[in-house]
Amino acid sequence: MEWMLMPFKRYADFNGRSQRMEYWMFTLFVTLVAFALVIVAGVLGGFSDSNSGGLSMIVLIPLILLVLVTIVPSIAVTVRRFHDQDKSGWFYLLSFIPYVGGIVVFVFMCLDGTPGPNRFGPDPKGGHSDVFG
């Protein structure tokens, strides 16, 4: 659970490096919470046309709040993942390229970081630069 909440502890920290585990556990946490909120909204009738518009908005407000609360930490953890691979955080802008940008960023998020320290800080896995020794 600590891996899932670590990006909230480093809310707007765009410096340093983050492991794949931190990124993917945070992504899993946000996805599960969003899925649960959508299920609850569906059960309570938040997506049907038969109830009043006020009830629909009340049911969907937690989902909107989730997006607003997690947007900054998700960008920050993605930038730190790029830093872990010794790439600039500006690579995040690749995600705005239609059709292929999201796939490119997804592939980068799956790649391992550079072993040992790089220009963005020490290895978050605690590795050192001497691979063979």
Side-chain angles (χ1 to χ4, degrees):
M1 190 72 170
E2 184 177 333
W3 287 105
M4 293 179 173
L5 300 176
M6 192 177 303
F8 286 118
K9 293 177 184 173
R10 298 174 68 183
Y11 190 82
D13 182 10
F14 293 88
N15 298 316
R17 298 167 65 175
S18 289
Q19 295 183 40
R20 278 184 296 187
M21 179 73 86
E22 179 182 348
Y23 175 82
W24 286 111
M25 292 305 285
F26 177 72
T27 302
L28 176 66
F29 173 73
V30 171
T31 303
L32 290 175
V33 170
F35 185 70
L37 290 173
V38 167
I39 294 295
V40 168
V43 168
L44 295 177
F47 300 117
S48 68
D49 292 333
S50 62
N51 61 4
S52 66
L55 178 62
S56 296
M57 281 309 294
I58 290 172
V59 170
L60 294 176
I61 285 175
L63 189 60
I64 294 167
L65 289 175
L66 175 71
V67 170
L68 292 175
V69 166
T70 60
I71 194 163
V72 173
S74 70
I75 293 170
V77 75
T78 305
V79 167
R80 290 194 307 267
R81 275 297 301 139
F82 279 122
H83 288 175
D84 191 38
Q85 299 165 13
D86 205 17
K87 293 177 177 41
S88 170
W90 290 104
F91 271 64
Y92 181 80
L93 296 177
L94 290 172
S95 63
F96 293 108
I97 299 173
Y99 307 113
V100 298
I103 296 169
V104 170
V105 171
F106 174 78
V107 169
F108 277 124
M109 295 301 105
C110 291
L111 298 175
D112 197 13
T114 56
N118 66 19
R119 62 188 168 139
F120 296 104
D123 190 348
K125 291 182 179 178
H128 56 333
S129 60
D130 187 15
V131 178
F132 300 106

